[in-house]
Amino acid sequence: VSFNDVFYIMFGFMLLDLITGLLASYFDWKKKPEKKDRWFFGKGEGFSSDKAKKLGVKLGVYLIVPLALIKIQKILLIKNFKYESFSEAEFELATIVVIIFCLIEGFSIFHENLPKCGFNLWKSIKKMIGFYKEIKEEI
């Protein structure tokens, strides 16, 4: 499995998480009856310097940890992981960590940010399954 490709996917997820996070923050701010501060760079409401610092820390961790794992794997001569029961692909330790980071970002996008924006994916899926069950019972 190509580490670079998985890393680009993670970068895309991070960018999408940033965009949906900004939208979720805006929608939360817009719902408040009293909007004392501005949404962008207000004091704790919306996007602030504290949230930008957290974004910087997350970006640092997401960049440093996989690169450090690649170095550690080369220094200690750790072999790549294989799971031959379903694939002959080899996974570096760093690739597995980046995939976990992608799952974390996906959870943040679909479970935290998009519902605040008014799009609840899980509710839509449940509705489609319920609709499918109704059609199946009628047939």
Side-chain angles (χ1 to χ4, degrees):
V1 176
S2 171
F3 172 77
N4 291 338
D5 292 342
V6 175
F7 196 78
Y8 290 135
I9 290 170
M10 183 191 73
F11 183 73
F13 269 102
M14 285 183 64
L15 196 60
L16 192 59
D17 184 42
L18 174 65
I19 293 168
T20 58
L22 287 172
L23 284 172
S25 174
Y26 176 74
F27 281 110
D28 281 347
W29 174 80
K30 197 172 180 181
K31 288 177 186 176
K32 291 184 179 180
E34 46 188 67
K35 299 174 187 114
K36 295 178 182 176
D37 289 327
R38 297 176 305 188
W39 166 71
F40 198 74
F41 289 124
K43 295 182 180 179
E45 298 178 3
F47 188 79
S48 63
S49 60
D50 289 337
K51 291 182 182 179
K53 289 176 192 174
K54 290 178 184 177
L55 177 67
V57 169
K58 180 169 81 169
L59 182 63
V61 168
Y62 281 16
L63 291 175
I64 292 171
V65 169
L67 296 176
L69 285 173
I70 288 173
K71 287 290 184 188
I72 290 170
Q73 189 170 351
K74 285 182 182 178
I75 290 170
L76 298 177
L77 301 173
I78 299 172
K79 292 183 180 180
N80 292 338
F81 296 100
K82 282 186 176 182
Y83 198 78
E84 294 179 358
S85 65
F86 69 87
S87 174
E88 292 186 16
E90 292 185 11
F91 295 91
E92 292 179 326
L93 187 59
T95 306
I96 294 170
V97 170
V98 170
I99 290 171
I100 291 170
F101 287 160
C102 287
L103 292 173
I104 292 169
E105 291 298 306
F107 179 81
S108 175
I109 293 166
F110 292 108
H111 188 69
E112 296 171 357
N113 295 342
L114 286 179
K116 290 180 182 177
C117 295
F119 178 73
N120 193 338
L121 179 67
W122 308 121
K123 190 182 280 186
S124 300
I125 290 173
K126 286 179 183 179
K127 190 183 289 185
M128 288 186 332
I129 291 172
F131 183 69
Y132 169 74
K133 287 180 181 178
E134 288 177 15
I135 290 175
K136 188 176 176 183
E137 287 176 5
E138 288 180 14
I139 291 177

